[in-house]
Amino acid sequence: MRLAVSLALCVFLAGCAASPSRDAALDVLMKRYDGDGPGASLLVMRDGVPVVRRGYGFADLEHHVAASPETNYRLASVSKQFTATAILLLVQDGRLSLDDRARRWLPTLPAVADAITIRQLLSHQGGLIDYEDIMPADTRVPLRDRDVLDLLSRTDHLYFTPGTSYRYSNGGYAMLALIVEQASGEPFQDFLRERIFLPLGMTNTLAYVREGPPVPHRAFGYSDEGGRWVRTDQSMTSSVLGDGGIYSSIDDLAHWDAALYDDRLLSDASRKAAFSPWTPTDDPAVRYGYGWRITGETLWHSGETIGFRNVIVRYPSRHLTVILLTNRNDPEPYKTAVHIANLYL
């Protein structure tokens, strides 16, 4: 407690003469995840080398399984960078164009969506109605990406004319996953495994479907309800793959981070496209690329879903990355990850 107070005073008082060590400061930042509750896995990569690689708390409270660097968490919207990469790989293959109309590949989208392009879906400029707002209140079977298309096919309006504004769209990324299936001729989860995960050595990462293999080293999600942790691992939208259905670990994401510096997966042109600030967002400090938020010198994305809160923050010019994966509904980890990054910059 004294150390936490000293840290707070150092931040508040510019004249604080002494500061705790970096390791002690890291312990304070991660203290909330340690102990007997649901936990976290933390990776700090600098110049391609992990300088922090550790787990905190528990991945499975019921069976008392500790969180570790191998623990696989549901990435939620951190998955979007993989969906965007799948699209860019198909562009490199010559199988589709970013300027293709989405309805070329998904003709059951409503006529009002005729002008929406793949490029606009990637940058959340399509204007599609949020599928979470139109799914039936009595839904009892988890939706899949195809179910999202069925819901959207029955809509008769958009939020705005495509390309004229920004609105974060999980449904747009579900449509991108279906476009990957149409253009590649194989299930989205198989395309990710064959073209991204296995080539990069991400052997325990997968887009999870119930009829497929189980998640190895799986973390289960929890929410604080009245001062106790309750398992809240899945919702009616947890099976939609394109917007958030990937499970991965910090160890596997270290391979992913490394691949974003060279052309082993994406060409220079594709990486430049993914990391370009195509549109302002609802936060004036943030712009959006293809599956990435861009703030100053950072490329990042968070992922929030029932029982999980995750973030990856990259400083490419400094070759520093912080990845924080957690299996609890609170707190949101972005600020913690930025504070951790500041310890190593």
Side-chain angles (χ1 to χ4, degrees):
M1 178 62 70
R2 289 181 179 178
L3 180 57
V5 171
S6 297
L7 273 174
L9 287 173
C10 284
V11 171
F12 183 73
L13 299 175
C16 183
S19 61
S21 71
R22 184 163 58 196
D23 286 346
L26 180 63
D27 288 343
V28 170
L29 289 168
M30 293 300 295
K31 182 177 177 59
R32 70 191 77 185
Y33 298 108
D34 218 353
D36 293 330
S41 296
L42 172 66
L43 178 71
V44 181
M45 295 281 290
R46 185 167 59 190
D47 295 324
V49 177
V51 294
V52 178
R53 175 184 170 270
R54 62 183 74 158
Y56 301 81
F58 288 90
D60 182 340
L61 294 182
E62 289 76 14
H63 297 93
H64 220 59
V65 178
S68 75
E70 296 85 16
T71 299
N72 277 302
Y73 299 78
R74 184 168 182 260
L75 295 185
S77 286
V78 176
S79 301
K80 287 182 170 69
Q81 57 205 249
F82 295 98
T83 303
T85 295
I87 289 288
L88 292 170
L89 286 171
L90 289 167
V91 172
Q92 290 178 184
D93 292 347
R95 297 193 188 186
L96 54 74
S97 165
L98 294 184
D99 294 316
D100 284 350
R101 301 287 180 92
R103 290 189 77 218
R104 171 189 170 186
W105 298 99
L106 305 173
T108 60
L109 278 171
V112 71
D114 186 62
I116 298 175
T117 66
I118 292 174
R119 187 187 304 276
Q120 290 162 351
L121 292 178
L122 286 167
S123 56
H124 300 290
Q125 296 183 87
L128 288 171
I129 302 302
D130 294 333
Y131 76 84
E132 300 93 334
D133 292 342
I134 58 175
M135 60 186 290
D138 61 352
T139 299
R140 294 293 178 266
V141 177
L143 300 181
R144 302 284 287 263
D145 301 74
R146 184 64 58 178
D147 299 316
V148 175
L149 173 59
D150 291 343
L151 287 172
L152 293 176
S153 70
R154 297 195 288 270
T155 60
D156 61 2
H157 65 284
L158 304 175
Y159 288 122
F160 49 80
T161 301
T164 64
S165 189
Y166 166 92
R167 184 182 175 107
Y168 191 82
S169 175
N170 287 316
Y173 269 74
M175 297 305 96
L176 290 169
L178 294 176
I179 289 171
V180 169
E181 292 189 342
Q182 291 296 107
S184 69
E186 59 182 319
F188 182 64
Q189 63 270 22
D190 294 346
F191 184 89
L192 292 180
R193 184 180 66 251
E194 295 165 9
R195 294 294 303 274
I196 300 177
F197 302 150
L198 292 183
L200 296 184
M202 300 172 69
T203 54
N204 287 318
T205 298
L206 74 164
Y208 174 64
V209 293
R210 292 193 177 188
E211 66 272 19
V215 179
H217 313 296
R218 179 174 177 174
F220 292 92
Y222 299 87
S223 296
D224 185 348
E225 296 183 5
R228 67 187 185 94
W229 292 108
V230 176
R231 185 180 284 201
T232 54
D233 187 67
Q234 298 285 301
S235 73
M236 290 301 102
T237 63
S238 293
S239 295
V240 181
L241 298 183
D243 65 355
I246 294 173
Y247 280 79
S248 191
S249 66
I250 58 171
D251 277 356
D252 272 11
L253 290 173
H255 296 290
W256 169 243
D257 177 65
L260 297 175
Y261 286 106
D262 58 41
D263 61 359
R264 74 187 78 175
L265 193 67
L266 291 176
S267 66
D268 289 345
S270 292
R271 293 198 314 279
K272 182 178 179 180
F275 302 152
S276 292
W278 294 108
T279 180
T281 70
D282 42 17
D283 182 338
V286 180
R287 297 180 72 88
Y288 205 91
Y290 296 156
W292 290 95
R293 300 185 188 276
I294 301 160
T295 305
E297 65 176 326
T298 65
L299 301 168
W300 65 281
H301 213 291
S302 58
E304 296 85 34
T305 187
I306 185 168
F308 295 93
R309 297 289 184 272
N310 310 304
V311 72
I312 175 172
V313 184
R314 304 182 69 242
Y315 297 75
S317 64
R318 301 176 184 243
H319 282 250
L320 179 77
T321 298
V322 176
I323 302 172
L324 179 54
L325 309 179
T326 84
N327 61 324
R328 50 168 64 198
N329 70 317
D330 188 69
E332 193 281 320
Y334 172 70
K335 290 182 179 179
T336 299
V338 171
H339 287 314
I340 291 170
N342 288 334
L343 297 175
Y344 294 89
L345 289 173

